[in-house]
């Protein structure tokens, strides 16, 4: 099992999905991810770090397979990288926008007479890098939508009597604190969101009496499948807990009011 602490569930899923995309292209998972997923001007995905000669030897066949490199250039690069220890650095040119074209690719180890071969490698890496960033950004939007409320304090369900109301409200995952869920579970969440259109939400259960908040509890990583009835995803222990807390709060208020009446 692999554990790592992230700012919130959404961040954990984005980093795990980005790792999957890197692995699919034989790029190193040691690259650092920066992203913006707010559907604004600054939205984007970038990676920065270093592609070692060992990394490049794994990546070059894939560049050839995608026709980013000719067979002749791929062979020449494979030999040059292996013999001269060539590496490529991915450098951010700015820090306020996460856009793939704001990353500069710099090769080290090429001799002067290999300038054209160096350009071929950087061009091929750039094409694959831009596709990588685009895929992570696109999938990232889906993961964000699958974990964040559709609107502020989105109501998931309400049960009410004449005076008592129980509500389940979807909240920002950041409200539930840091996420250190096992990577295998995160991968399953990613599959469910992307393939099954599921939601993995953070939920606040709350009980009000005559409009006054009596008790609340929180549950993170609540999986809701499309069309699934409430009874399938609501945890009974959470309902029991918040109901007991509300009962105690109401009892305390009743006793306080009675003592006030007697004193008056």
């Amino acid at each position: 099992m692999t554990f790592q602490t992230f700012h919130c569930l959404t961040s954990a899923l984005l980093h795990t999905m980005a790792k999957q995309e890197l692995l699919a292209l034989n790029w190193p998972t040691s690259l650092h991810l920066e992203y913006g997923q707010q559907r604004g001007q600054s939205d984007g995905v970038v990676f920065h770090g270093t592609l070692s000669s060992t990394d490049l030897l794994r990546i070059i066949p894939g560049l050839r397979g995608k026709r980013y490199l000719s067979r002749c250039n791929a062979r020449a690069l494979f030999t040059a990288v292996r013999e001269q220890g060539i590496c490529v650095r991915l450098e951010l040119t700015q820090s306020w926008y996460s856009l793939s074209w704001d990353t500069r690719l710099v090769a080290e180890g090429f001799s002067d007479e290999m300038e054209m071969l160096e350009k071929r490698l950087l061009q091929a890496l750039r094409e694959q890098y831009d596709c990588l960033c685009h895929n992570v950004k696109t999938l990232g939007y889906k993961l964000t939508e699958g974990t964040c409320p559709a609107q502020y304090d989105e109501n998931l369900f309400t049960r009410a009597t004449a005076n008592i109301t129980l509500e389940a409200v979807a909240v920002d995952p950041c409200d539930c604190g840091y996420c250190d869920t096992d990577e295998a579970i995160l991968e399953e969440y990613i599959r469910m969101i992307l393939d099954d259109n599921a939601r993995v939400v953070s939920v606040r259960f709350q009980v009000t009496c005559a409009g006054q908040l009596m008790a609340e509890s929180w549950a993170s990583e609540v999986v809701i499948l499309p069309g699934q009835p409430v009874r399938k995803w609501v945890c009974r222990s959470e309902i029991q807990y918040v109901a007991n807390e509300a009962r105690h709060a109401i009892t305390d208020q009743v006793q306080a009011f009675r003592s006030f009446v007697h004193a008056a």
Side-chain angles (χ1 to χ4, degrees):
M1 294 188 296
T2 303
F3 294 94
Q4 186 174 351
T5 300
F6 295 94
H7 182 61
C8 67
L9 174 63
T10 304
S11 178
L13 293 175
L14 286 168
H15 280 82
T16 303
M17 176 269 295
K19 180 179 177 180
Q20 292 175 331
E21 294 297 305
L22 288 167
L23 286 171
L25 297 176
N26 288 319
W27 285 53
T29 58
S30 57
L31 294 178
H32 300 284
L33 169 67
E34 305 283 346
Y35 65 89
Q37 296 282 280
Q38 302 301 316
R39 294 197 179 275
Q41 183 180 3
S42 62
D43 278 10
V45 168
V46 295
F47 294 91
H48 57 95
T50 301
L51 303 177
S52 68
S53 56
T54 302
D55 296 326
L56 292 174
L57 291 175
R58 290 198 309 269
I59 293 171
I60 288 173
L63 297 178
R64 167 59 188 153
K66 291 292 186 180
R67 300 186 182 277
Y68 295 140
L69 288 172
S70 67
R71 180 179 302 174
C72 179
N73 285 331
R75 287 177 177 175
L77 281 168
F78 199 85
T79 300
V81 170
R82 184 178 55 197
E83 294 180 353
Q84 301 186 40
I86 292 167
C87 65
V88 174
R89 289 183 287 108
L90 283 64
E91 302 176 343
L92 298 182
T93 58
Q94 59 170 308
S95 60
W96 52 91
Y97 288 141
S98 299
L99 305 174
S100 64
W101 54 83
D102 290 325
T103 307
R104 179 172 57 239
L105 276 64
V106 181
E108 296 179 348
F110 282 101
S111 58
D112 293 340
E113 61 270 17
M114 302 179 73
E115 180 180 358
M116 288 305 298
L117 196 59
E118 177 182 351
K119 289 183 178 179
R120 294 285 187 273
L121 174 62
L122 293 180
Q123 181 180 359
L125 287 172
R126 165 61 67 181
E127 291 189 62
Q128 190 166 67
Y129 176 79
D130 288 344
C131 288
L132 168 67
C133 292
H134 175 74
N135 289 341
V136 173
K137 177 183 176 181
T138 301
L139 296 176
Y141 278 135
K142 295 181 179 180
L143 295 179
T144 301
E145 292 171 356
T147 54
C148 294
Q151 63 270 340
Y152 178 73
D153 277 359
E154 175 193 359
N155 186 283
L156 299 175
F157 83 86
T158 300
R159 298 291 185 270
T161 62
N163 298 304
I164 305 294
T165 301
L166 166 67
E167 293 177 291
V169 178
V171 299
D172 191 306
C174 292
D175 292 347
C176 285
Y178 289 90
C179 174
D180 60 357
T181 302
D182 173 43
E183 186 174 295
I185 298 176
L186 294 174
E187 291 175 350
E188 179 62 13
Y189 289 159
I190 291 171
R191 185 199 65 75
M192 295 177 74
I193 293 172
L194 298 182
D195 297 342
D196 301 336
N197 201 30
R199 298 184 68 186
V200 184
V201 293
S202 302
V203 181
R204 182 179 73 243
F205 295 96
Q206 59 189 34
V207 175
T208 57
C209 179
Q212 181 181 356
L213 180 64
M214 292 290 104
E216 59 184 2
S217 67
W218 305 76
S220 61
E221 303 177 24
V222 178
V223 178
I224 306 176
L225 296 172
Q228 192 174 46
V230 170
R231 67 178 181 276
K232 291 292 186 179
W233 59 265
V234 168
C235 179
R236 289 185 176 273
S237 62
E238 288 290 342
I239 300 299
Q240 292 171 351
Y241 170 80
V242 75
N244 287 333
E245 290 295 302
R247 183 182 297 111
H248 294 321
I250 293 171
T251 300
D252 290 344
Q253 286 198 359
V254 170
Q255 291 175 346
F257 181 75
R258 286 175 177 170
S259 66
F260 166 76
V261 170
H262 289 315

